[in-house]
Amino acid sequence: MGEALVPVIAGLAFLYLLVPVAYTVAFSFNDAGKSNLVWRGFTLDAWRNPCGAPQVCEAFAHSLQVGVASTVIATALGTLLAIALVRFRFRGRPLVNLLVFLPMSTPEVVLGAALLAQFLSLRVQLGFTTVVIAHVMFCISFVVVTVKARVASLDPALEEAAADLYATPWHAFWRVTFPLLLPGIAAAALLAFSLSFDDFIITNFNSGAFTTFPKFVYVSAARGIPPQANVISSFMFVLALVLVVVFQVVSSVRAGRRQRG
Amino acid sequence: MSLAVALGEGGGPPPAASRPTRTRGHRPLLLPGLAYLALFFVAPVAVLLATSLYVPVPGGDVGQYQPALHGQNYVDALAKFWPQLVRSFGFALMATLAALAIGYPMAYAIAVRARGRRLLQGLLLVLVVAPFFTSFILRTIAWKQILADDSFVVAALHWLHLLPPGGRLTATPFAVVCGLTYNFLPFMVLPIYASLERLDPRMLEAGADLYASPFTTFRTVTLPLSMPGVVGGTLLTFIPASGDYVNSSLLGNNTNTSMIGQVIDARFFKVLDYPTAAALSVVLMVAILVLVGAYVRRSGTEELL
């Protein structure tokens, strides 16, 4: 009985997950006028002119800049931490593991409030830099967790073999370890970017007058969100679909090749 | 809670025994990340703790405080905002249970029922991850429209007499919990999927060979082996849900739906009452750490950390 119910429940769950996405995409085609809350008919206006609403593209560009900067820094720092945590035994290891786990087990409001309290006490001007600092902080933990799984599945004998063949540690890392870690690092970077791009709560605490895309949407919710915001969101959705599908196909082709030997 | 497996390499071989080695060269790898976390996580939390004990500058402006050890801030903050704190944990718990009830069958369908059909599996995973890339605030606003008084959902519920005449969904605790469940559902599905994916199908065959009913096999083999995923998923859902205030402010009505995150935000930005906001943040953080610690210990999956 339970076995037959699984596809039904899963199907309804997918519906639950995707109906709001469908709404968001549908309302990018709404002939909205001022407030994009009621369906008023189909139009391509917003798609033809995605920057037509004030500030929407500026906010989008800010989010892209913050996302790229945070992703690069967090992925670099997190990858190094992950390698060290899996490969090297040192005295403080449990403590470092705990330190990496803590930001993930702290709600965003608390992280946002703590950083803001620090920036206020140091009289730091809030803006692009403080937002990137905050995003890197919460992305590092996710990068470490993601890359750690990949490092743990690597055989250290591969590096030892490289060393036996007179590769320097530097060479062994770039020619052997890094290429093998790359899928994990790419997944971590994708995760970090999506977390940073869509973050609202921490950004809201640490951005001052600097507006990112989620902040723009939240603030304009009161007076009506322009359909251009839906266009940008839908565009990102399609882009992500394409990226993830490519990622899946590449990794399944690779897996197939590996199986055939 | 290996999200990596779920997001990137569906499945893959079980981790080879990767024995740690003692190397002198590891320090340069650790230092940058550790320094960063010390500067921008540990230090801010210390500043937050200090701020929670501050007192207003005598005769100063609104928003001016000086260092002190005024523990009374905690008593006052809790006395005033106890209901919002309890409500946050209640809503987060309901959303986590709902996400588990919905997310487990989803993960099971992807990992076990679609096993061997790579394309279908990939497609379903993409559908779980894809909502991450549309703005979650826009999706929450879409929820608001879906649950609005003139929506087809409300009309259908009235027609089915599941909602009393004049009854509404918008601005109710139900709407907020519904939104929280929705927002954090992928965080529940992915870790459970990852742990089910690693499950060896021969285990299930062995169960059937030993005359176990499918349900008994599930209860005694599948479920225990997927526990790391369940623990990871509940944590990744419960923690952000308890601190979230986007759902309660967009889908709620403030009087009987406001959550602690909203209070912290308002104390910080509207009232400039930093000590109260800091004290509530500290209480929230400590409460969650205690809950998470007890939960992880009880479920016996410490290696998760």
Side-chain angles (χ1 to χ4, degrees), chain A residues 3 13 16-17 37 80 87-89 107 109 118 133 136 146 150 152 198 218 225 233 240-241, chain B residues 4 9 16 20-21 23 26 36 44 102 113 126 133 135-136 141 143 145 178 182 243 249 288:
Chain A
E3 284 288 293
Y16 174 63
L17 204 56
L37 285 173
L80 296 181
R87 280 298 158 81
F88 307 122
R89 197 178 306 151
V109 202
Q118 192 188 29
I133 287 175
V136 171
T146 311
R150 185 81 196 172
D198 205 21
Y218 188 82
I225 297 157
S233 206
L241 275 187
Chain B
E9 297 279 278
T21 46
T23 317
H26 68 261
Y36 197 96
I102 301 168
R113 299 306 278 283
V126 168
F133 293 87
S135 160
F136 99 97
I141 287 166
W143 260 113
Q145 287 167 272
C178 208
Y182 169 76
S249 76
I288 285 186

mmCIF file of all heavy atoms in Angstrom, chain A residues 3 13 16-17 37 80 87-89 107 109 118 133 136 146 150 152 198 218 225 233 240-241, chain B residues 4 9 16 20-21 23 26 36 44 102 113 126 133 135-136 141 143 145 178 182 243 249 288:
data_model
loop_
_atom_site.group_PDB
_atom_site.id
_atom_site.type_symbol
_atom_site.label_atom_id
_atom_site.label_comp_id
_atom_site.label_asym_id
_atom_site.label_seq_id
_atom_site.Cartn_x
_atom_site.Cartn_y
_atom_site.Cartn_z
ATOM 1 N N GLU A 3 3.958 1.487 -0.870
ATOM 2 C CA GLU A 3 4.744 1.567 -2.100
ATOM 3 C C GLU A 3 3.990 2.293 -3.205
ATOM 4 O O GLU A 3 4.577 3.050 -3.968
ATOM 5 C CB GLU A 3 5.105 0.151 -2.570
ATOM 6 C CG GLU A 3 6.208 -0.501 -1.766
ATOM 7 C CD GLU A 3 7.567 0.115 -2.058
ATOM 8 O OE1 GLU A 3 8.045 -0.046 -3.191
ATOM 9 O OE2 GLU A 3 8.125 0.757 -1.169
ATOM 10 N N ALA A 13 4.164 16.625 -4.137
ATOM 11 C CA ALA A 13 5.231 17.433 -3.554
ATOM 12 C C ALA A 13 5.933 18.262 -4.630
ATOM 13 O O ALA A 13 6.231 19.439 -4.417
ATOM 14 C CB ALA A 13 6.229 16.537 -2.820
ATOM 15 N N TYR A 16 3.779 21.154 -5.430
ATOM 16 C CA TYR A 16 3.899 22.133 -4.354
ATOM 17 C C TYR A 16 5.175 22.969 -4.533
ATOM 18 O O TYR A 16 5.173 24.197 -4.374
ATOM 19 C CB TYR A 16 3.927 21.358 -3.042
ATOM 20 C CG TYR A 16 4.192 22.128 -1.771
ATOM 21 C CD1 TYR A 16 3.323 23.109 -1.325
ATOM 22 C CD2 TYR A 16 5.295 21.815 -0.975
ATOM 23 C CE1 TYR A 16 3.552 23.766 -0.131
ATOM 24 C CE2 TYR A 16 5.530 22.454 0.224
ATOM 25 C CZ TYR A 16 4.661 23.440 0.640
ATOM 26 O OH TYR A 16 4.899 24.086 1.823
ATOM 27 N N LEU A 17 6.255 22.270 -4.936
ATOM 28 C CA LEU A 17 7.543 22.935 -5.097
ATOM 29 C C LEU A 17 7.550 23.862 -6.307
ATOM 30 O O LEU A 17 8.209 24.896 -6.312
ATOM 31 C CB LEU A 17 8.633 21.863 -5.251
ATOM 32 C CG LEU A 17 10.063 22.209 -4.888
ATOM 33 C CD1 LEU A 17 10.171 22.701 -3.468
ATOM 34 C CD2 LEU A 17 10.948 20.985 -5.080
ATOM 35 N N LEU A 37 0.218 42.169 -9.129
ATOM 36 C CA LEU A 37 -0.411 41.196 -8.225
ATOM 37 C C LEU A 37 -1.614 40.515 -8.870
ATOM 38 O O LEU A 37 -1.987 39.418 -8.495
ATOM 39 C CB LEU A 37 -0.842 41.870 -6.920
ATOM 40 C CG LEU A 37 0.305 42.183 -5.946
ATOM 41 C CD1 LEU A 37 -0.192 43.000 -4.776
ATOM 42 C CD2 LEU A 37 0.986 40.913 -5.469
ATOM 43 N N LEU A 80 40.683 25.010 0.688
ATOM 44 C CA LEU A 80 41.911 24.779 1.453
ATOM 45 C C LEU A 80 41.586 24.168 2.814
ATOM 46 O O LEU A 80 42.204 23.195 3.246
ATOM 47 C CB LEU A 80 42.677 26.096 1.643
ATOM 48 C CG LEU A 80 43.197 26.746 0.356
ATOM 49 C CD1 LEU A 80 43.951 28.024 0.684
ATOM 50 C CD2 LEU A 80 44.101 25.780 -0.400
ATOM 51 N N ARG A 87 42.784 15.626 5.250
ATOM 52 C CA ARG A 87 44.070 14.977 5.039
ATOM 53 C C ARG A 87 45.029 15.013 6.227
ATOM 54 O O ARG A 87 45.856 14.136 6.390
ATOM 55 C CB ARG A 87 44.766 15.607 3.821
ATOM 56 C CG ARG A 87 44.256 15.075 2.520
ATOM 57 C CD ARG A 87 44.518 13.585 2.426
ATOM 58 N NE ARG A 87 43.641 12.933 1.486
ATOM 59 C CZ ARG A 87 43.831 12.931 0.168
ATOM 60 N NH1 ARG A 87 44.855 13.560 -0.338
ATOM 61 N NH2 ARG A 87 42.986 12.306 -0.613
ATOM 62 N N PHE A 88 44.959 16.061 7.015
ATOM 63 C CA PHE A 88 45.994 16.235 8.021
ATOM 64 C C PHE A 88 45.456 16.045 9.418
ATOM 65 O O PHE A 88 44.391 16.551 9.757
ATOM 66 C CB PHE A 88 46.638 17.617 7.879
ATOM 67 C CG PHE A 88 47.126 17.874 6.492
ATOM 68 C CD1 PHE A 88 46.670 18.961 5.772
ATOM 69 C CD2 PHE A 88 48.014 16.992 5.903
ATOM 70 C CE1 PHE A 88 47.112 19.174 4.487
ATOM 71 C CE2 PHE A 88 48.457 17.203 4.619
ATOM 72 C CZ PHE A 88 48.005 18.288 3.902
ATOM 73 N N ARG A 89 46.223 15.277 10.205
ATOM 74 C CA ARG A 89 45.838 15.101 11.593
ATOM 75 C C ARG A 89 46.610 16.125 12.408
ATOM 76 O O ARG A 89 47.846 16.149 12.368
ATOM 77 C CB ARG A 89 46.189 13.695 12.060
ATOM 78 C CG ARG A 89 45.462 13.305 13.330
ATOM 79 C CD ARG A 89 45.795 11.893 13.718
ATOM 80 N NE ARG A 89 45.531 10.979 12.625
ATOM 81 C CZ ARG A 89 46.207 9.846 12.456
ATOM 82 N NH1 ARG A 89 47.169 9.515 13.279
ATOM 83 N NH2 ARG A 89 45.908 9.044 11.450
ATOM 84 N N PRO A 107 21.206 30.697 12.996
ATOM 85 C CA PRO A 107 20.258 31.319 12.068
ATOM 86 C C PRO A 107 20.832 32.604 11.477
ATOM 87 O O PRO A 107 21.619 33.296 12.117
ATOM 88 C CB PRO A 107 19.049 31.641 12.939
ATOM 89 C CG PRO A 107 19.210 30.847 14.161
ATOM 90 C CD PRO A 107 20.663 30.586 14.345
ATOM 91 N N VAL A 109 19.594 35.494 10.984
ATOM 92 C CA VAL A 109 19.369 36.748 11.722
ATOM 93 C C VAL A 109 20.487 36.998 12.700
ATOM 94 O O VAL A 109 20.941 38.137 12.863
ATOM 95 C CB VAL A 109 18.109 36.661 12.602
ATOM 96 C CG1 VAL A 109 17.574 37.960 12.938
ATOM 97 C CG2 VAL A 109 17.091 35.853 12.049
ATOM 98 N N GLN A 118 29.282 44.349 15.055
ATOM 99 C CA GLN A 118 30.725 44.577 14.914
ATOM 100 C C GLN A 118 31.005 45.779 14.005
ATOM 101 O O GLN A 118 31.809 46.641 14.345
ATOM 102 C CB GLN A 118 31.403 43.324 14.360
ATOM 103 C CG GLN A 118 32.918 43.415 14.469
ATOM 104 C CD GLN A 118 33.614 42.267 13.758
ATOM 105 O OE1 GLN A 118 33.106 41.713 12.794
ATOM 106 N NE2 GLN A 118 34.778 41.910 14.242
ATOM 107 N N ILE A 133 31.879 40.575 2.711
ATOM 108 C CA ILE A 133 32.457 39.974 3.931
ATOM 109 C C ILE A 133 31.445 39.031 4.575
ATOM 110 O O ILE A 133 31.763 37.897 4.934
ATOM 111 C CB ILE A 133 32.866 41.089 4.931
ATOM 112 C CG1 ILE A 133 34.122 41.799 4.432
ATOM 113 C CG2 ILE A 133 33.115 40.509 6.320
ATOM 114 C CD1 ILE A 133 34.543 42.985 5.276
ATOM 115 N N VAL A 136 30.797 35.798 2.303
ATOM 116 C CA VAL A 136 31.906 34.844 2.353
ATOM 117 C C VAL A 136 31.822 34.058 3.650
ATOM 118 O O VAL A 136 31.982 32.833 3.670
ATOM 119 C CB VAL A 136 33.263 35.572 2.249
ATOM 120 C CG1 VAL A 136 34.410 34.607 2.531
ATOM 121 C CG2 VAL A 136 33.433 36.193 0.874
ATOM 122 N N THR A 146 30.862 20.594 1.332
ATOM 123 C CA THR A 146 30.736 20.032 -0.008
ATOM 124 C C THR A 146 32.053 19.450 -0.508
ATOM 125 O O THR A 146 32.100 18.339 -1.024
ATOM 126 C CB THR A 146 30.250 21.126 -0.988
ATOM 127 O OG1 THR A 146 29.120 21.771 -0.407
ATOM 128 C CG2 THR A 146 29.841 20.543 -2.306
ATOM 129 N N ARG A 150 34.157 15.251 -1.219
ATOM 130 C CA ARG A 150 34.930 14.872 -2.395
ATOM 131 C C ARG A 150 36.358 14.453 -2.009
ATOM 132 O O ARG A 150 36.882 13.469 -2.514
ATOM 133 C CB ARG A 150 34.952 16.063 -3.367
ATOM 134 C CG ARG A 150 35.598 15.804 -4.684
ATOM 135 C CD ARG A 150 34.683 15.103 -5.651
ATOM 136 N NE ARG A 150 35.475 14.557 -6.753
ATOM 137 C CZ ARG A 150 34.999 13.757 -7.686
ATOM 138 N NH1 ARG A 150 33.738 13.398 -7.664
ATOM 139 N NH2 ARG A 150 35.775 13.312 -8.638
ATOM 140 N N ALA A 152 37.307 13.237 0.785
ATOM 141 C CA ALA A 152 37.258 11.975 1.517
ATOM 142 C C ALA A 152 37.185 10.782 0.568
ATOM 143 O O ALA A 152 37.602 9.683 0.910
ATOM 144 C CB ALA A 152 36.066 11.974 2.466
ATOM 145 N N ASP A 198 20.853 34.789 -3.618
ATOM 146 C CA ASP A 198 19.475 34.840 -3.145
ATOM 147 C C ASP A 198 19.360 35.246 -1.684
ATOM 148 O O ASP A 198 18.280 35.250 -1.117
ATOM 149 C CB ASP A 198 18.814 33.470 -3.364
ATOM 150 C CG ASP A 198 17.300 33.585 -3.487
ATOM 151 O OD1 ASP A 198 16.831 34.694 -3.793
ATOM 152 O OD2 ASP A 198 16.604 32.594 -3.258
ATOM 153 N N TYR A 218 12.177 42.740 -1.938
ATOM 154 C CA TYR A 218 11.521 42.819 -0.626
ATOM 155 C C TYR A 218 11.012 44.232 -0.357
ATOM 156 O O TYR A 218 9.876 44.421 0.083
ATOM 157 C CB TYR A 218 12.507 42.394 0.461
ATOM 158 C CG TYR A 218 11.875 42.245 1.826
ATOM 159 C CD1 TYR A 218 11.197 41.085 2.163
ATOM 160 C CD2 TYR A 218 11.968 43.252 2.785
ATOM 161 C CE1 TYR A 218 10.613 40.929 3.409
ATOM 162 C CE2 TYR A 218 11.397 43.108 4.029
ATOM 163 C CZ TYR A 218 10.717 41.939 4.339
ATOM 164 O OH TYR A 218 10.142 41.796 5.576
ATOM 165 N N ILE A 225 5.738 45.086 -7.059
ATOM 166 C CA ILE A 225 6.971 44.637 -7.695
ATOM 167 C C ILE A 225 6.807 44.750 -9.200
ATOM 168 O O ILE A 225 5.832 44.252 -9.757
ATOM 169 C CB ILE A 225 7.265 43.185 -7.297
ATOM 170 C CG1 ILE A 225 7.500 43.115 -5.796
ATOM 171 C CG2 ILE A 225 8.460 42.637 -8.046
ATOM 172 C CD1 ILE A 225 7.264 41.763 -5.229
ATOM 173 N N SER A 233 14.260 37.093 -12.576
ATOM 174 C CA SER A 233 14.203 35.858 -11.815
ATOM 175 C C SER A 233 13.975 34.652 -12.733
ATOM 176 O O SER A 233 14.623 33.608 -12.579
ATOM 177 C CB SER A 233 13.087 35.965 -10.788
ATOM 178 O OG SER A 233 13.339 35.140 -9.707
ATOM 179 N N ALA A 240 19.924 28.585 -14.838
ATOM 180 C CA ALA A 240 20.317 27.550 -13.878
ATOM 181 C C ALA A 240 19.916 26.174 -14.396
ATOM 182 O O ALA A 240 20.698 25.220 -14.301
ATOM 183 C CB ALA A 240 19.676 27.813 -12.524
ATOM 184 N N LEU A 241 18.716 26.062 -14.953
ATOM 185 C CA LEU A 241 18.274 24.786 -15.516
ATOM 186 C C LEU A 241 19.279 24.289 -16.544
ATOM 187 O O LEU A 241 19.721 23.145 -16.496
ATOM 188 C CB LEU A 241 16.904 24.942 -16.186
ATOM 189 C CG LEU A 241 15.668 24.829 -15.318
ATOM 190 C CD1 LEU A 241 14.422 24.849 -16.185
ATOM 191 C CD2 LEU A 241 15.708 23.550 -14.496
ATOM 192 N N ALA B 4 27.047 17.868 -1.454
ATOM 193 C CA ALA B 4 27.853 17.754 -2.664
ATOM 194 C C ALA B 4 27.365 16.611 -3.515
ATOM 195 O O ALA B 4 27.157 16.753 -4.718
ATOM 196 C CB ALA B 4 29.293 17.495 -2.278
ATOM 197 N N GLU B 9 27.729 15.108 -8.076
ATOM 198 C CA GLU B 9 27.963 13.763 -8.530
ATOM 199 C C GLU B 9 26.903 12.833 -7.980
ATOM 200 O O GLU B 9 27.110 12.247 -6.941
ATOM 201 C CB GLU B 9 29.304 13.308 -7.965
ATOM 202 C CG GLU B 9 30.460 14.116 -8.454
ATOM 203 C CD GLU B 9 30.890 13.663 -9.831
ATOM 204 O OE1 GLU B 9 31.614 12.694 -9.916
ATOM 205 O OE2 GLU B 9 30.439 14.285 -10.808
ATOM 206 N N ALA B 16 36.610 6.094 -0.353
ATOM 207 C CA ALA B 16 37.740 5.233 -0.056
ATOM 208 C C ALA B 16 38.288 5.640 1.293
ATOM 209 O O ALA B 16 38.214 6.806 1.664
ATOM 210 C CB ALA B 16 38.811 5.399 -1.130
ATOM 211 N N PRO B 20 44.076 10.147 7.404
ATOM 212 C CA PRO B 20 44.758 11.431 7.606
ATOM 213 C C PRO B 20 46.242 11.181 7.849
ATOM 214 O O PRO B 20 46.611 10.159 8.406
ATOM 215 C CB PRO B 20 44.107 11.990 8.866
ATOM 216 C CG PRO B 20 42.937 11.117 9.160
ATOM 217 C CD PRO B 20 43.200 9.805 8.519
ATOM 218 N N THR B 21 47.051 12.103 7.400
ATOM 219 C CA THR B 21 48.479 11.972 7.619
ATOM 220 C C THR B 21 48.972 13.210 8.338
ATOM 221 O O THR B 21 48.328 14.257 8.320
ATOM 222 C CB THR B 21 49.216 11.866 6.274
ATOM 223 O OG1 THR B 21 48.694 12.871 5.412
ATOM 224 C CG2 THR B 21 49.020 10.522 5.631
ATOM 225 N N THR B 23 51.428 16.081 8.363
ATOM 226 C CA THR B 23 52.332 16.753 7.449
ATOM 227 C C THR B 23 52.589 18.140 7.983
ATOM 228 O O THR B 23 51.699 18.755 8.547
ATOM 229 C CB THR B 23 51.708 16.889 6.049
ATOM 230 O OG1 THR B 23 51.084 15.662 5.729
ATOM 231 C CG2 THR B 23 52.731 17.241 5.018
ATOM 232 N N HIS B 26 50.628 21.556 6.321
ATOM 233 C CA HIS B 26 49.197 21.822 6.328
ATOM 234 C C HIS B 26 48.830 23.196 6.856
ATOM 235 O O HIS B 26 47.756 23.695 6.609
ATOM 236 C CB HIS B 26 48.454 20.744 7.120
ATOM 237 C CG HIS B 26 48.743 20.796 8.577
ATOM 238 N ND1 HIS B 26 49.647 19.965 9.181
ATOM 239 C CD2 HIS B 26 48.240 21.577 9.545
ATOM 240 C CE1 HIS B 26 49.689 20.232 10.462
ATOM 241 N NE2 HIS B 26 48.864 21.215 10.712
ATOM 242 N N TYR B 36 39.827 34.059 8.748
ATOM 243 C CA TYR B 36 38.587 34.691 8.290
ATOM 244 C C TYR B 36 37.459 34.429 9.276
ATOM 245 O O TYR B 36 36.740 35.352 9.685
ATOM 246 C CB TYR B 36 38.210 34.160 6.899
ATOM 247 C CG TYR B 36 37.200 35.047 6.231
ATOM 248 C CD1 TYR B 36 37.610 36.018 5.333
ATOM 249 C CD2 TYR B 36 35.849 34.941 6.528
ATOM 250 C CE1 TYR B 36 36.698 36.859 4.737
ATOM 251 C CE2 TYR B 36 34.920 35.770 5.946
ATOM 252 C CZ TYR B 36 35.353 36.727 5.048
ATOM 253 O OH TYR B 36 34.448 37.570 4.479
ATOM 254 N N PRO B 44 32.564 38.833 15.777
ATOM 255 C CA PRO B 44 31.227 39.429 15.811
ATOM 256 C C PRO B 44 30.317 38.826 16.879
ATOM 257 O O PRO B 44 29.558 39.552 17.522
ATOM 258 C CB PRO B 44 30.669 39.137 14.408
ATOM 259 C CG PRO B 44 31.854 38.998 13.548
ATOM 260 C CD PRO B 44 32.918 38.397 14.409
ATOM 261 N N ILE B 102 6.828 15.405 3.586
ATOM 262 C CA ILE B 102 6.755 15.584 2.131
ATOM 263 C C ILE B 102 8.074 15.193 1.475
ATOM 264 O O ILE B 102 8.111 14.568 0.423
ATOM 265 C CB ILE B 102 6.455 17.058 1.786
ATOM 266 C CG1 ILE B 102 5.138 17.490 2.406
ATOM 267 C CG2 ILE B 102 6.405 17.257 0.289
ATOM 268 C CD1 ILE B 102 4.930 18.983 2.343
ATOM 269 N N ARG B 113 13.094 4.665 -6.252
ATOM 270 C CA ARG B 113 12.163 4.264 -7.317
ATOM 271 C C ARG B 113 12.723 4.549 -8.698
ATOM 272 O O ARG B 113 12.436 3.834 -9.648
ATOM 273 C CB ARG B 113 10.815 4.982 -7.150
ATOM 274 C CG ARG B 113 10.116 4.649 -5.835
ATOM 275 C CD ARG B 113 9.945 3.151 -5.614
ATOM 276 N NE ARG B 113 8.798 2.576 -6.308
ATOM 277 C CZ ARG B 113 7.543 2.702 -5.913
ATOM 278 N NH1 ARG B 113 7.245 3.390 -4.833
ATOM 279 N NH2 ARG B 113 6.565 2.130 -6.576
ATOM 280 N N VAL B 126 17.092 18.086 -10.733
ATOM 281 C CA VAL B 126 17.130 19.453 -11.242
ATOM 282 C C VAL B 126 15.885 20.207 -10.783
ATOM 283 O O VAL B 126 15.950 21.359 -10.355
ATOM 284 C CB VAL B 126 17.235 19.455 -12.783
ATOM 285 C CG1 VAL B 126 16.978 20.839 -13.337
ATOM 286 C CG2 VAL B 126 18.596 18.962 -13.213
ATOM 287 N N PHE B 133 17.155 28.977 -7.690
ATOM 288 C CA PHE B 133 17.703 30.008 -8.556
ATOM 289 C C PHE B 133 16.694 31.097 -8.913
ATOM 290 O O PHE B 133 17.070 32.101 -9.479
ATOM 291 C CB PHE B 133 18.300 29.381 -9.820
ATOM 292 C CG PHE B 133 19.499 28.550 -9.515
ATOM 293 C CD1 PHE B 133 19.380 27.220 -9.176
ATOM 294 C CD2 PHE B 133 20.765 29.116 -9.521
ATOM 295 C CE1 PHE B 133 20.488 26.458 -8.871
ATOM 296 C CE2 PHE B 133 21.879 28.363 -9.216
ATOM 297 C CZ PHE B 133 21.738 27.026 -8.888
ATOM 298 N N SER B 135 14.320 33.944 -7.307
ATOM 299 C CA SER B 135 14.347 34.683 -6.061
ATOM 300 C C SER B 135 13.367 34.086 -5.054
ATOM 301 O O SER B 135 12.197 33.900 -5.345
ATOM 302 C CB SER B 135 13.970 36.127 -6.353
ATOM 303 O OG SER B 135 13.539 36.748 -5.175
ATOM 304 N N PHE B 136 13.867 33.748 -3.854
ATOM 305 C CA PHE B 136 12.964 33.123 -2.895
ATOM 306 C C PHE B 136 11.933 34.124 -2.375
ATOM 307 O O PHE B 136 10.838 33.751 -1.989
ATOM 308 C CB PHE B 136 13.749 32.399 -1.789
ATOM 309 C CG PHE B 136 13.910 33.129 -0.492
ATOM 310 C CD1 PHE B 136 13.051 32.876 0.565
ATOM 311 C CD2 PHE B 136 14.921 34.049 -0.321
ATOM 312 C CE1 PHE B 136 13.205 33.518 1.780
ATOM 313 C CE2 PHE B 136 15.089 34.702 0.882
ATOM 314 C CZ PHE B 136 14.221 34.438 1.933
ATOM 315 N N ILE B 141 6.215 35.657 -2.412
ATOM 316 C CA ILE B 141 5.122 36.548 -2.808
ATOM 317 C C ILE B 141 4.121 35.789 -3.697
ATOM 318 O O ILE B 141 2.908 36.000 -3.599
ATOM 319 C CB ILE B 141 5.691 37.802 -3.494
ATOM 320 C CG1 ILE B 141 6.352 38.684 -2.419
ATOM 321 C CG2 ILE B 141 4.598 38.597 -4.209
ATOM 322 C CD1 ILE B 141 7.232 39.760 -2.950
ATOM 323 N N TRP B 143 3.401 32.712 -3.266
ATOM 324 C CA TRP B 143 2.593 31.995 -2.261
ATOM 325 C C TRP B 143 1.472 32.873 -1.727
ATOM 326 O O TRP B 143 0.354 32.423 -1.522
ATOM 327 C CB TRP B 143 3.458 31.543 -1.074
ATOM 328 C CG TRP B 143 3.820 30.125 -1.188
ATOM 329 C CD1 TRP B 143 5.057 29.627 -1.398
ATOM 330 C CD2 TRP B 143 2.923 29.012 -1.168
ATOM 331 N NE1 TRP B 143 4.988 28.269 -1.513
ATOM 332 C CE2 TRP B 143 3.704 27.868 -1.371
ATOM 333 C CE3 TRP B 143 1.551 28.874 -0.999
ATOM 334 C CZ2 TRP B 143 3.151 26.594 -1.417
ATOM 335 C CZ3 TRP B 143 1.000 27.610 -1.039
ATOM 336 C CH2 TRP B 143 1.789 26.488 -1.245
ATOM 337 N N GLN B 145 0.026 35.169 -3.268
ATOM 338 C CA GLN B 145 -1.034 35.238 -4.277
ATOM 339 C C GLN B 145 -1.834 33.932 -4.324
ATOM 340 O O GLN B 145 -3.046 33.948 -4.500
ATOM 341 C CB GLN B 145 -0.421 35.528 -5.655
ATOM 342 C CG GLN B 145 0.052 36.958 -5.790
ATOM 343 C CD GLN B 145 0.942 37.137 -7.014
ATOM 344 O OE1 GLN B 145 2.142 36.946 -6.951
ATOM 345 N NE2 GLN B 145 0.349 37.497 -8.140
ATOM 346 N N CYS B 178 3.182 27.064 6.009
ATOM 347 C CA CYS B 178 3.168 26.590 4.631
ATOM 348 C C CYS B 178 4.344 27.193 3.853
ATOM 349 O O CYS B 178 5.052 26.490 3.131
ATOM 350 C CB CYS B 178 1.846 27.024 4.006
ATOM 351 S SG CYS B 178 1.298 25.965 2.712
ATOM 352 N N TYR B 182 7.667 25.257 2.419
ATOM 353 C CA TYR B 182 7.976 25.388 1.009
ATOM 354 C C TYR B 182 9.410 25.858 0.794
ATOM 355 O O TYR B 182 10.153 25.277 0.008
ATOM 356 C CB TYR B 182 6.999 26.370 0.369
ATOM 357 C CG TYR B 182 7.419 26.741 -1.014
ATOM 358 C CD1 TYR B 182 7.229 25.865 -2.060
ATOM 359 C CD2 TYR B 182 8.054 27.949 -1.266
ATOM 360 C CE1 TYR B 182 7.658 26.178 -3.333
ATOM 361 C CE2 TYR B 182 8.478 28.274 -2.528
ATOM 362 C CZ TYR B 182 8.282 27.386 -3.558
ATOM 363 O OH TYR B 182 8.716 27.692 -4.807
ATOM 364 N N GLY B 243 14.896 31.119 12.403
ATOM 365 C CA GLY B 243 15.346 32.504 12.386
ATOM 366 C C GLY B 243 14.739 33.324 11.262
ATOM 367 O O GLY B 243 14.971 34.519 11.163
ATOM 368 N N SER B 249 6.679 37.876 7.750
ATOM 369 C CA SER B 249 6.303 39.265 7.460
ATOM 370 C C SER B 249 5.532 39.374 6.142
ATOM 371 O O SER B 249 4.668 40.245 6.009
ATOM 372 C CB SER B 249 7.513 40.188 7.493
ATOM 373 O OG SER B 249 8.281 40.031 6.339
ATOM 374 N N ILE B 288 19.303 27.245 19.983
ATOM 375 C CA ILE B 288 19.448 26.341 18.847
ATOM 376 C C ILE B 288 20.628 25.409 19.024
ATOM 377 O O ILE B 288 20.539 24.209 18.762
ATOM 378 C CB ILE B 288 19.557 27.145 17.537
ATOM 379 C CG1 ILE B 288 18.164 27.656 17.206
ATOM 380 C CG2 ILE B 288 20.113 26.303 16.402
ATOM 381 C CD1 ILE B 288 18.036 28.332 15.916
#
